[in-house]
Amino acid sequence: MSDTDIAARVLTAPRRFETRRFDRPVLGADDGLLGVLACGLCGSDVASWRGEKKHDGPVVLGHEVIGRIADLGPAAAALWDVRPGDRVAIEEAVPCMFCALCRSGHQRLCTRSGIRYGYTSTDTAPSLWGGFAPLMYLHPRTQLHRVPDSVSDELATLYIPLSNGLAWMGDSGELRPGERVAIFGAGQHGIASAAAALRLGASEVVVVGTDRDGDRLAVARELGSQVVVAPAEDVEEAVVEVLGGSPDIVMDMTPSVAHPVEASIRLAAVRGRVLWGGMKRGASRPLIDTDLVAQKELTVRGLWARPSWAITAALRWLASEPALGRLCERTYRIDELDNAFVDAAGEGSAPAPLHTAVLMN
């Protein structure tokens, strides 16, 4: 393989990766190339692998990308303020920067550009749009964040769940110091959000899991949260008892199941905030008591990605609090990608890890 021939792991069908080779992109003045060091593997990647999430063709997955600038044009160097060799994290959304969403600071929600790292098909030139490849193309409107030297490549891949937790609790939940928080779901986003709530001043935080989540709930405890495991019919009473009152913020981060959505409305304190981020993907149809939403004057918000400030904050948090590395439970090499997905989907011999990092070397 020549240095102009880039081998990438491409998802070509559900549960099927192939190694395909692509020409090294030819750069202009305002774009660049990233030498990928590590990439996180998250639940949305697993959904793509299972065929639950549709793409417009074969795709190089991976959007939690840490890498070093490999090459860039002069305009890109000036705009991004980086040089070859600088280590950065990328935002997966490539915004248009002209629509009302982008101009109001909500560029993470922009779909006008049609480009998203880890999602865009290899049929769209120059094909290298994901992190499970040694080299990734950097679009001129890519948003980059420097990674602190003290944070390893492996642990730096936690920047997405940690930044989501900070943004969801701070911006979406409008958390005020001293408030109580309940989180349904003991995955990486649930536990990262619990840790973020405590960092932002919550007085009590409880993570609700199942009897299969013992190891994950142990991590939640290590990071300062309380935990609840109870049958569905008893869980609301158990949460209130542990917190010492109704939660001001209730978050649902559970995939596929309806009960936490329904319980969140009943559990939330008067004028509380209810946050929904657990993707159901058609697997369940929650029944919402809209009268209770009105009577309690609840604020209900969906959760999708994070603003840019939160990524910088998450990387600094990682640098200052090494214990957060406990969230990264398993590491694979890129040649072990098939096994990494089997394990992340919970189909391996051990329980699915909280967070998985894939290293290029």
Side-chain angles (χ1 to χ4, degrees):
M1 184 177 69
S2 71
D3 60 2
T4 60
D5 188 22
I6 310 303
R9 297 290 283 155
V10 180
L11 185 73
T12 58
R15 299 172 181 266
R16 181 178 178 182
F17 284 107
E18 296 179 12
T19 298
R20 293 190 175 181
R21 290 178 164 79
F22 302 93
D23 292 335
R24 182 185 178 100
V26 177
L27 299 183
D30 57 357
D31 52 2
L33 294 173
L34 186 73
V36 178
L37 298 169
C39 187
L41 193 169
C42 82
S44 65
D45 294 314
V46 171
S48 294
W49 177 77
R50 284 175 168 159
E52 299 166 356
K53 188 173 159 188
K54 302 303 179 185
H55 300 268
D56 292 331
V59 62
V60 180
L61 297 176
H63 59 275
E64 301 178 345
V65 187
I66 303 297
R68 291 193 186 277
I69 300 294
D71 196 3
L72 76 170
L79 180 63
W80 295 332
D81 190 25
V82 295
R83 296 177 298 176
D86 286 350
R87 193 166 60 129
V88 298
I90 63 103
E91 296 190 34
E92 72 267 33
V94 176
C96 75
M97 298 310 292
F98 295 102
C99 71
L101 284 169
C102 287
R103 295 174 70 177
S104 62
H106 300 294
Q107 62 266 30
R108 68 189 184 279
L109 301 174
C110 175
T111 58
R112 186 176 174 184
S113 78
I115 300 294
R116 196 172 188 90
Y117 290 113
Y119 185 86
T120 299
S121 169
T122 57
D123 294 337
T124 300
S127 303
L128 296 169
W129 296 108
F132 295 132
L135 205 67
M136 192 175 82
Y137 175 68
L138 295 177
H139 187 280
R141 291 192 296 275
T142 302
Q143 297 174 88
L144 307 177
H145 300 262
R146 292 181 183 273
V147 178
D149 291 340
S150 61
V151 180
S152 70
D153 299 334
E154 176 183 1
L155 297 188
T157 63
L158 287 164
Y159 75 96
I160 291 291
L162 291 174
S163 62
N164 283 343
L166 288 169
W168 295 345
M169 284 294 148
D171 284 0
S172 303
E174 299 178 352
L175 174 65
R176 293 181 287 273
E179 290 191 318
R180 303 180 179 105
V181 177
I183 297 173
F184 285 88
Q188 64 171 339
H189 277 100
I191 295 177
S193 295
L198 290 166
R199 182 171 177 82
L200 295 173
S203 62
E204 301 287 346
V205 178
V206 63
V207 176
V208 180
T210 70
D211 55 9
R212 299 185 301 275
D213 293 327
D215 291 342
R216 295 180 169 202
L217 293 174
V219 176
R221 285 194 187 95
E222 288 177 29
L223 296 177
S225 294
Q226 301 186 71
V227 304
V228 160
V229 177
E233 62 271 18
D234 299 327
V235 71
E236 294 164 44
E237 182 179 351
V239 166
V240 171
E241 182 177 352
V242 168
L243 290 178
S246 297
D248 302 285
I249 298 174
V250 186
M251 172 188 282
D252 169 40
M253 289 306 302
T254 61
S256 304
V257 293
H259 176 262
V261 174
E262 299 163 354
S264 65
I265 298 298
R266 295 189 294 266
L267 257 176
V270 172
R271 296 191 59 79
R273 282 84 72 204
V274 176
L275 309 176
W276 292 336
M279 302 299 288
K280 311 308 177 188
R281 304 190 189 280
S284 63
R285 304 288 182 184
L287 298 175
I288 306 303
D289 188 342
T290 55
D291 289 348
L292 200 54
V293 173
Q295 290 163 1
K296 294 167 72 172
E297 292 193 359
L298 298 179
T299 298
V300 179
R301 299 189 67 166
L303 303 173
W304 186 254
R306 84 299 307 166
S308 297
W309 70 261
I311 294 180
T312 299
L315 290 167
R316 290 174 178 168
W317 186 18
L318 267 169
S320 66
E321 195 168 334
L324 293 169
R326 182 68 177 82
L327 289 165
C328 188
E329 292 191 315
R330 214 164 298 169
T331 303
Y332 298 80
R333 299 185 310 275
I334 188 63
D335 59 1
E336 301 172 307
L337 192 64
D338 292 274
N339 291 337
F341 270 82
V342 168
D343 291 346
E347 298 177 10
S349 58
L354 265 175
H355 178 82
T356 296
V358 178
L359 302 179
M360 292 305 111
N361 295 310

